[in-house]
Amino acid sequence: MRETLEFIKSKIKDFKPEVAIVLGSGLGTFCEGLEGIRLPYSQIAGFAPSTVKGHKGELLFCEVENRKCVIMQGRFHYYEGHNLAKTTLPIKVFKKLGVKKLILTNAAGSLKKELTPGSIMLINDHINFMGSNPLIGQNDETLGTRFPDMNEVYSKRLRDIVKTCAKNMGIEIKEGIYCALTGPSYETPAEVKMLSIIGADATGMSTVPEAIVAKYCSIEILGVSLITNYAAGLSDVAPNHKEVVEMGKIAGINLVNLLKSAIKLF
């Protein structure tokens, strides 16, 4: 952590990000036209190079709507072979850099027929089905308490801001519960049925570990899923990553515009 912070601070100098943004698959268009300091993950101690298509693999320190931001273009995934401490290291780094608010985005599969591909879903709660927790191990009291509360992980205040912006822009959005599994295989039809029964609305392979650590670090969180496909059993088309990335590019335009409109009000 110390080495990581020293390197980043040596590159960004006096730049102090207030908001961190983690971009999911296909959402790299958020950074188009933004100028700032770019740091490839390969240069940052403790960071791992991104191996997933649609994830550029760099930090961008820049201003978005006059808010100082650090944007994570691609994340680390448990299924890439990293432990959960490694996948969530950037969140702890953001905390040490002074970040107060975090936007987590992802591409997700729908578990409900009415939640169609192309929909934007604000996450109002989550289910951790990854079989582990990123806070296991020795606790760092400078970051958070040993047993952090997980009530309202996803900020109602930030969701309300986004909903108001969406209404003004004529963009339809929904709310729901996101369930995280390890991947990299997609869910079976039986698993999809189970997840729906226990109350999940969408499923993916990320976000929840980052949200747990951010809540532990007392960072205010907005979680957003871009629904890119129906999960297995809800459609005749089998889920595939190419479809996820392509839908992210198409439907992500509304999400990018919405987030840029809302961020100035955070």
Side-chain angles (χ1 to χ4, degrees):
M1 174 76 80
R2 189 177 300 110
E3 188 179 352
T4 303
L5 284 167
E6 286 176 357
F7 173 78
I8 291 174
K9 287 179 178 179
S10 73
K11 297 297 183 182
I12 66 174
K13 306 301 181 185
D14 297 327
F15 189 93
K16 297 186 184 304
E18 311 163 69
V19 181
I21 305 167
V22 179
L23 298 177
S25 296
L27 291 171
T29 54
F30 186 95
C31 294
E32 288 181 359
L34 296 178
E35 297 294 333
I37 303 164
R38 297 179 182 272
L39 301 179
Y41 296 163
S42 58
Q43 296 180 5
I44 305 173
F47 277 47
S50 182
T51 65
V52 183
K53 187 176 181 180
H55 291 249
K56 191 169 184 178
E58 67 179 19
L59 290 182
L60 172 60
F61 291 85
C62 63
E63 289 198 7
V64 180
E65 299 295 337
N66 296 317
R67 300 299 299 273
K68 291 184 177 179
C69 298
V70 52
I71 303 174
M72 195 173 179
Q73 294 184 264
R75 52 163 51 93
F76 314 141
H77 298 84
Y78 191 37
Y79 63 72
E80 292 177 89
H82 311 303
N83 61 38
L84 292 183
K86 181 91 165 183
T87 66
T88 56
L89 173 65
I91 308 303
K92 296 176 182 178
V93 170
F94 297 157
K95 170 69 173 181
K96 294 286 189 178
L97 290 174
V99 165
K100 304 296 183 186
K101 298 171 181 65
L102 171 67
I103 300 173
L104 294 171
T105 71
N106 62 56
S110 170
L111 298 170
K112 311 285 185 182
K113 272 290 187 181
E114 59 272 23
L115 192 60
T116 57
S119 298
I120 295 171
M121 186 189 87
L122 297 181
I123 303 173
N124 55 27
D125 206 346
H126 71 232
I127 298 171
N128 180 11
F129 251 33
M130 299 187 83
S132 189
N133 189 295
L135 301 180
I136 290 174
Q138 185 175 352
N139 187 54
D140 183 347
E141 292 293 336
T142 68
L143 291 171
T145 181
R146 170 78 280 186
F147 301 107
D149 164 58
M150 287 290 132
N151 185 48
E152 198 183 314
V153 173
Y154 304 92
S155 166
K156 183 179 183 302
R157 185 186 76 84
L158 295 184
R159 295 201 310 273
D160 285 345
I161 289 172
V162 174
K163 285 189 280 189
T164 299
C165 289
K167 183 177 180 181
N168 293 338
M169 298 172 71
I171 297 174
E172 182 181 1
I173 57 173
K174 300 179 181 180
E175 283 195 62
I177 297 170
Y178 175 88
C179 182
L181 286 82
T182 65
S185 58
Y186 288 105
E187 302 78 17
T188 67
E191 289 168 339
V192 168
K193 184 176 181 181
M194 174 195 68
L195 297 177
S196 182
I197 289 171
I198 65 173
D201 298 295
T203 181
M205 306 171 191
S206 67
T207 303
V208 168
E210 297 154 338
I212 290 172
V213 170
K215 176 68 173 177
Y216 156 77
C217 289
S218 300
I219 297 173
E220 192 174 13
I221 307 160
L222 175 73
V224 189
S225 290
L226 183 60
I227 305 302
T228 52
N229 58 280
Y230 279 121
L234 296 182
S235 168
D236 294 332
V237 180
N240 66 84
H241 189 66
K242 182 179 178 181
E243 173 190 299
V244 167
V245 173
E246 288 305 313
M247 179 57 80
K249 290 178 181 177
I250 296 168
I253 294 171
N254 275 345
L255 177 54
V256 166
N257 291 336
L258 177 58
L259 290 178
K260 286 184 176 179
S261 174
I263 200 170
K264 68 181 89 172
L265 303 175
F266 282 7

